[in-house]
């Protein structure tokens, strides 16, 4: 799966000359928390609602409310934006975008093509993807268990589920308790929890959790 398949587009963007108050109003209207800053059709920065809300005149402590509001109206996006923007392209793997965001502790990445912004991928887009990957919006039996980390072990479990009339909705593999195991998260429909329990008794090293979930 690539960024271009999951990015938000078209993109709401702001001008560097826009006041922070105007930018905040726009972001509130569009229900977004960050937006690219574009000038002449080219990306020059990115700004978040926190950047805008934290902006204040340097001598604010000595100002009246009216003076403060006046000075705030004069602060522009260019004064609070982040200029060194990390970007990705439409053909960047989605997990690579997630790694970049995690490593750099940022909540969104503009997606660029030929220097122009064509989308933005955010933590919200990744959360939606996580819901799909785990089958969180579908009802079924959710099982978490440990398997030996060797070829064919997972295939044995999925084959047994199919033989009993079950259908694997979602599956994920994670690091196990040690290097010899893998932790499996699986959502299955078409069978009950007792059937899944019986299957895992034959193949799993350890069953950590089994429950009906969710809808």
């Amino acid at each position: 799966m690539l960024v271009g398949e999951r990015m938000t587009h078209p993109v709401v963007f702001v001008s560097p000359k826009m006041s922070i108050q105007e930018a905040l109003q726009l972001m509130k209207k569009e229900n977004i928390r960050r937006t690219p800053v574009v000038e002449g059709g080219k990306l020059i920065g990115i700004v978040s609602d926190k950047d805008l809300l934290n902006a204040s005149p340097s001598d604010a402590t000595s100002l009246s409310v009216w003076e403060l509001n006046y000075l705030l109206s004069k602060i522009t996006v260019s004064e609070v934006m982040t200029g060194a923007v990390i970007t990705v392209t439409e053909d960047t793997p989605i997990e690579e975008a997630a790694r970049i965001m995690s490593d750099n502790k940022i909540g969104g990445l503009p997606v660029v093509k030929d220097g122009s912004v064509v989308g933005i991928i955010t933590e919200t887009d990744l959360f939606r993807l996580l819901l799909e990957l785990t089958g969180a919006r579908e009802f079924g039996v959710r099982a978490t268990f440990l398997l030996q980390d060797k070829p064919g072990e997972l295939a044995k479990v999925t084959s047994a589920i199919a033989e009993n009339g079950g259908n694997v909705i979602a599956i994920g593999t994670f690091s196990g308790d040690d290097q010899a195991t893998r932790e499996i998260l699986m959502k299955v429909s078409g069978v009950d929890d007792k059937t899944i329990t019986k299957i895992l008794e034959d193949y799993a090293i350890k069953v950590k959790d089994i429950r009906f979930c969710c809808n």
Side-chain angles (χ1 to χ4, degrees), residues 174-215:
F174 307 89
S175 298
D177 291 348
D178 52 51
Q179 293 184 345
T181 62
R182 297 291 292 178
E183 182 168 316
I184 311 299
L185 170 63
M186 184 179 291
K187 176 73 78 66
V188 182
S189 65
V191 291
D192 58 23
D193 54 340
K194 292 181 180 180
T195 302
I196 295 298
T197 299
K198 181 63 174 66
I199 291 170
L200 294 180
E201 285 176 353
D202 294 334
Y203 299 106
I205 296 172
K206 178 182 179 181
V207 178
K208 293 191 171 184
D209 181 72
I210 294 181
R211 67 182 72 187
F212 277 107
C213 184
C214 301
N215 211 343

Side-chain angles (χ1 to χ4, degrees), residues 86-118:
I86 302 173
T87 64
V88 291
T89 61
E90 292 172 283
D91 61 357
T92 300
I94 197 76
E95 65 271 23
E96 175 66 8
R99 183 197 63 76
I100 292 171
M101 290 165 64
S102 177
D103 289 352
N104 291 279
K105 296 180 174 60
I106 53 179
L109 297 167
V111 185
V112 297
K113 181 178 181 180
D114 299 327
S116 298
V117 180
V118 295

Side-chain angles (χ1 to χ4, degrees), residues 13-42:
F13 59 85
V14 296
S15 160
K17 297 178 181 179
M18 182 180 287
S19 73
I20 61 172
Q21 293 174 334
E22 291 174 319
L24 274 171
Q25 290 174 357
L26 177 62
M27 293 171 74
K28 183 177 180 180
K29 176 184 175 184
E30 299 293 338
N31 193 31
I32 56 177
R33 291 183 294 173
R34 62 189 55 79
T35 181
V37 184
V38 175
E39 185 173 45
K42 300 297 182 182

Side-chain angles (χ1 to χ4, degrees), residues 28-91:
K28 183 177 180 180
K29 176 184 175 184
E30 299 293 338
N31 193 31
I32 56 177
R33 291 183 294 173
R34 62 189 55 79
T35 181
V37 184
V38 175
E39 185 173 45
K42 300 297 182 182
L43 177 69
I44 64 167
I46 191 168
V47 69
S48 70
D49 54 357
K50 289 183 179 179
D51 296 327
L52 299 171
L53 290 168
N54 290 335
S56 63
S58 59
D59 56 350
T61 53
S62 63
L63 299 174
S64 68
V65 172
W66 295 276
E67 290 171 324
L68 180 60
N69 286 335
Y70 173 76
L71 286 180
L72 283 174
S73 70
K74 298 300 181 182
I75 300 175
T76 63
V77 167
S78 64
E79 298 175 65
V80 299
M81 72 181 190
T82 298
V85 189
I86 302 173
T87 64
V88 291
T89 61
E90 292 172 283
D91 61 357

